[in-house]
């Protein structure tokens, strides 16, 4: 869901380096749901004050019942607000 212009290239390089085969698809998580997934992952997505609520809504929209959410956070200030929003 990252809109940096080189994300797709970085994704494919990373897959090749890691010897992983994966499909790339650009997604705007603020728009309507594009389906439900067993695993929803995010990395460093809580860097603005509005993000905890927005990210929580997106995660809940995209994860299947019983699915897993994996979120990597470098210790930003908004993690606890995100966890509250997830409740």
């Amino acid at each position: 869901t990252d809109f940096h212009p080189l994300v797709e290239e970085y994704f494919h390089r990373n897959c090749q380096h890691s010897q992983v085969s994966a499909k790339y698809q650009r997604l705007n998580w603020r728009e309507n749901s594009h389906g439900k997934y067993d695993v929803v992952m995010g990395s460093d997505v809580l860097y603005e004050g509005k993000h905890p609520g927005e990210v929580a809504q997106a995660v809940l929209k995209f994860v299947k019942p019983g699915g897993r959410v994996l979120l990597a956070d470098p210790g930003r200030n908004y993690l606890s607000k995100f966890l509250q929003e997830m409740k």
Side-chain angles (χ1 to χ4, degrees):
T1 63
D2 194 323
F3 286 100
H4 186 281
L6 296 176
V7 166
E8 185 173 7
E9 179 183 335
Y10 296 157
F11 173 83
H12 289 299
R13 278 192 208 168
N14 210 348
C15 287
Q16 185 177 22
H17 176 75
S18 302
Q19 298 178 343
V20 170
S21 177
K23 179 182 170 188
Y24 177 85
Q25 180 179 349
R26 188 171 302 271
L27 170 73
N28 185 340
W29 51 267
R30 290 180 176 110
E31 293 178 355
N32 292 335
S33 178
H34 295 273
K36 298 273 188 181
Y37 302 92
D38 295 319
V39 179
V40 174
M41 296 186 295
S43 177
D44 196 12
V45 294
L46 302 172
Y47 51 88
E48 287 186 23
K50 65 182 179 177
H51 286 169
E54 290 181 346
V55 173
Q57 287 178 358
V59 164
L60 295 173
K61 179 171 51 173
F62 290 118
V63 71
K64 286 182 180 178
R68 293 183 180 263
V69 176
L70 303 173
L71 184 70
D73 185 78
R76 295 196 186 268
N77 295 329
Y78 303 112
L79 179 59
S80 60
K81 178 139 175 66
F82 168 77
L83 295 173
Q84 286 290 63
E85 293 285 342
M86 287 297 291
K87 290 180 183 177

